[in-house]
Amino acid sequence: MAKKRKSKSNFSKPKRWFWTLFLLTAFSIPLVFLLASFGVFGPMPDHTALENPRTNLATEILSSDGVTLGKFYYEDNRTPVGYDELPRHLVDALIATEDIRYMDHSGIDSRGTLRAVFKLGKDGGASTISQQLAKQLFHGEGSKNTLGRITQKIKEWVIATRLEKQYTKEEIIAQYFNIYDFGNNADGIRSASRIYFGKEPTDLNIPESAMLVGMFKNSSLYNPRPKRNPVGTKNRRNIVLSQMAKYGFISETKKDSLQATPLNLNYKPESHREGIATYFRAYLKEFLKGWVSQSENRKPNGDKYNIYRDGLKVYTTIDSRMQTLAEAAVTDHMKALQAEFFVQNTKKRNPTAPFLELEDEEIQRLLNLGMKRSERWRKMRYDLKKPVSEITASFKKKTPMKVFSWTAPNNEIDTVMTPMDSMRYYKSFLRAGTMSMEPQTGFVKTWVGGFNYKHFQYDMVKQGKRQVGSTFKPFVYAAAIDQLHLSPCDTFPKAQITIPAMKFGNMKPWAPKNSSNNYAGFETLKAALANSRNTITARLMNEIGPQPVINLAKSLGIEQSLPAVPSIALGTPDLSIYEMVAAYATFANKGVYTKPVMVTRIEDKNGTLLYQFSPETRDVLSEEIAYVIVNLMEGVTKFGSGQRLRHNFGKNQAVYKEIVTGYPYEFDNPIAGKTGTTQNQSDGWFMGMVPNLVTGVWVGGEDRATHFKTITYGQGASMALPIWANYMKGCYAIEALGISKEEFEKPEVLSIATECEQYNPEGETDMINEVLTPEIDF
């Protein structure tokens, strides 16, 4: 009997061990998950964090035609997209490669987990897409020791199941694509699509989708750029294509054909210094900094918005098509104009190149001033606290650097020179700026502050202020016609006039000359503005004085302080393109000034409206006076200094063709405009208007001593007008832009005569072949 009891005891002992182990395991696994959820193994995200995962989102700048102009970000260039913006084959590639049972599990793939345990991870770690998202959102790379990896995996399981409860399968996939860092500032699928292939995610094809999914394994290793690992990336892409064929997403035949294709990268890095509208984006950054600093523009919790992390959407008035055309017009013309400038300013022809009229001492003083304004000086003096002597010496020491060049690939060459020599080199380049605006709405359609933001960061649209020359004359004419009730057909003598000293605050007598030295006879106001006759402008100023002109200019949006002296009539004030375009737009808008608008609205990442513009307008001139000034400026393009928009320019046509593209332009639609050239050909301007678009262009050197020696190339009609002409030709080629070719609308009541042929017996239109000399002559 004893033996039987012993046998029974031996039989029941293994059973007890089995059931004990089974029950311990059964209870311990949920207990471990429960402890993990309580944060015993480390902090866990609460439901708020799961609902709103903390990711840095770039602020996106959108054009009026829906194109992304650029983004503001510190480290994460991320703009999220929705699941419906992901092509089906991109999702298929992800599921086939990363988690084939994704649609069937609830965050943890039990089959894959058991396989990973029994095979010790040799066939992969069995992380589901939900687990990988949990890792990306809340844990990053994690621990390197075994215990740490185990606890991290447990936490990922818990978070993955919570994510599956919180979101749909589609939402989890979208989040995973949006969170991943694809390298090269490509944070998220949208940036990756744009940077590697130059397209939106919805436009990706199958091999492109496969390449990007392949990068999930290791974006640093599988980097497709030529100097990184294009071969490895292609091999990884082909593995993804094989997985897609294995699970029936594509056929074997299609897989074979796609695997034979190259990567076909269209690499377009996104940075603050590249892309279109770079100068506008720099302006916009300061605008947004001002907007977020205002107390009324806060988050619901009272915090300030962060333009680099909060994923704002900024809707602008810029039209990407027009912006591209404007930038191309500036680039094409400036490249040709600069080539001619270099020909005229060789050391043999001009020992003080690129400067004219300056002695060596003046040049050195100019360079020293530039040195103290440079970024190098600022960093060494104020950041590194270096002594002045050491800083000055560093400017004379040769150093390797990249400098701008019109003729080099990517407009950049590697060279060795002293920082002082590089300053002189950069001062030899002519600069340019242009801006377009709809006069009726105030919407700014283009903003080109220069031709290369990386090397020339000073914005010539709003920062830069230069003498405006004869483009100021319409303000004088408008004030005079308004006050004296004149007509464009009224005639004035071309003879010189002297305004006595102290009459209007001028310290000495003022007697401007005509550039043509033509003083005989009389001329209508219409012909006088067309031919930019200085003496007749001076007569108008003598009649009304400078103060009414200043008052009008201020009402037209001129922000700069203007001296109350007669010489302002010929454009001595330094003004910006921004101010001039807004002022001229008032004439095209029937006398109503509209403040320029660059941003129409701002939204947060959820689409909540945070800002919407309010138009700012004011009546400045009567509709009749505004139309008369427009009519006067139409004469400029018909038979005055802007005539080359319509005609070949006589004996100078061959010379003109050498420095401009697209000439002759042969416009046949109504155009109002005004050229401007300042003393010594330092600044060239053209202001051009059609009924629904006003554009201003300026060209000149950084320093006034950098200029053409002769008027052939140095006048506004040669320096600035071609940019306007080529830009407008491009605009007219895109019918969808709706740029008007119609007549400027006449007022219903027009009591002032504007058709002046009967008042012009001396044939002033014979002046059309005159090459204008500088329109300022002090």
Side-chain angles (χ1 to χ4, degrees), residues 526-544:
K526 194 166 190 176
L529 185 65
N531 291 309
S532 210
R533 204 71 69 194
N534 290 340
T535 53
I536 292 181
T537 307
R539 288 182 181 278
L540 296 177
M541 179 61 78
N542 186 53
E543 291 290 328
I544 62 173

Side-chain angles (χ1 to χ4, degrees), residues 239 359 483 528 602:
I239 290 174
E359 301 293 334
Q483 289 212 357
I602 300 172

Side-chain angles (χ1 to χ4, degrees), residues 9 73 94 105 109 133 179 195 237 243 249 329 356 373 379 397 400 480 692 725:
S9 176
Y73 59 90
L94 177 68
H105 63 65
D109 182 3
L133 176 60
I179 196 66
I195 289 173
R237 179 203 70 177
Q243 289 293 105
F249 292 114
L356 293 169
R373 290 176 175 173
K379 285 184 177 180
K397 183 180 179 181
N692 64 349

Side-chain angles (χ1 to χ4, degrees), residues 83 149 151 230 236 277 350 357 387 389 461 470 546 548 606 664 688 698 770:
Y83 182 83
R149 286 198 296 271
T151 56
R236 177 64 188 164
N350 176 23
E357 301 97 26
S389 58
V461 169
S470 290
N606 299 314
W698 167 87
E770 177 184 354

Side-chain angles (χ1 to χ4, degrees), residues 471-706:
T471 56
F472 194 86
K473 289 177 179 176
F475 307 154
V476 180
Y477 276 64
I481 291 173
D482 188 28
Q483 289 212 357
L484 304 177
H485 307 290
L486 299 174
S487 159
C489 305
D490 289 336
T491 58
F492 287 79
K494 289 187 284 186
Q496 268 191 286
I497 179 176
T498 299
I499 296 180
M502 305 308 294
K503 180 175 181 181
F504 296 117
N506 47 314
M507 300 303 294
K508 58 182 180 180
W510 185 61
K513 299 177 181 178
N514 289 329
S515 56
S516 62
N517 289 319
N518 181 349
Y519 301 103
F522 290 77
E523 193 169 41
T524 63
L525 285 182
K526 194 166 190 176
L529 185 65
N531 291 309
S532 210
R533 204 71 69 194
N534 290 340
T535 53
I536 292 181
T537 307
R539 288 182 181 278
L540 296 177
M541 179 61 78
N542 186 53
E543 291 290 328
I544 62 173
Q547 196 56 53
V549 178
I550 293 171
N551 294 341
L552 175 61
K554 291 294 183 183
S555 297
L556 293 170
I558 301 301
E559 300 168 354
Q560 190 72 13
S561 177
L562 302 175
V565 293
S567 61
I568 63 170
L570 303 187
T572 56
D574 289 349
L575 304 176
S576 67
I577 298 171
Y578 174 90
E579 292 170 288
M580 292 297 289
V581 169
Y584 269 65
T586 306
F587 299 131
N589 193 33
K590 303 179 180 180
V592 178
Y593 169 82
T594 301
K595 186 176 180 179
V597 176
M598 283 72 75
V599 177
T600 55
R601 71 184 192 276
I602 300 172
E603 296 177 355
D604 68 10
K605 64 181 180 181
N606 299 314
T608 303
L609 184 66
L610 304 177
Y611 165 86
Q612 190 165 25
F613 87 100
S614 297
E616 295 183 36
T617 64
R618 58 175 174 265
D619 292 334
V620 177
L621 294 167
S622 69
E623 183 178 347
E624 185 178 33
I625 298 297
Y627 176 78
V628 167
I629 301 302
V630 169
N631 183 267
L632 282 168
M633 287 191 282
E634 285 188 86
V636 174
T637 66
K638 288 179 179 178
F639 56 86
S641 55
Q643 63 174 303
R644 60 186 70 181
L645 289 171
R646 305 185 183 284
H647 314 291
N648 296 342
F649 202 61
K651 62 184 179 181
N652 293 292
Q653 181 179 187
V655 173
Y656 197 61
K657 278 185 176 180
E658 291 180 7
I659 61 166
V660 299
T661 57
Y663 180 78
Y665 309 112
E666 298 179 339
F667 288 98
D668 57 7
N669 57 289
I671 298 170
K674 187 70 190 77
T675 57
T677 308
T678 63
Q679 192 176 43
N680 296 328
Q681 301 84 243
S682 293
D683 304 278
W685 288 79
F686 183 71
M687 304 296 300
M689 304 192 296
V690 295
N692 64 349
L693 192 68
V694 177
T695 304
V697 184
W698 167 87
V699 174
E702 177 184 339
D703 303 292
R704 299 188 196 283
T706 303

Side-chain angles (χ1 to χ4, degrees), residues 53 55-60 62 68 71 76-86 171 173-180 187-192 194 200-201 309-313 315 604-607:
T55 55
N56 293 333
L57 303 178
T59 287
E60 187 176 12
L62 295 161
T68 299
K71 301 175 186 177
D76 297 340
N77 177 21
R78 181 178 292 105
T79 307
V81 297
Y83 182 83
D84 57 349
E85 297 176 77
L86 303 175
E171 288 172 334
I173 284 180
Q175 282 196 63
Y176 187 47
F177 274 115
N178 285 325
I179 196 66
Y180 192 73
D187 299 294
I189 190 63
R190 184 156 187 249
S191 291
R194 289 166 56 85
E200 293 296 322
R309 297 191 178 102
D310 285 340
L312 303 177
K313 286 188 180 295
Y315 294 85
D604 68 10
K605 64 181 180 181
N606 299 314

Side-chain angles (χ1 to χ4, degrees), residues 90-114:
L90 179 66
V91 175
D92 291 343
L94 177 68
I95 291 175
T97 308
E98 299 290 333
D99 190 358
I100 191 58
R101 285 179 290 278
Y102 173 71
M103 292 297 179
D104 300 323
H105 63 65
S106 299
I108 301 173
D109 182 3
S110 56
R111 288 172 57 185
T113 302
L114 290 172

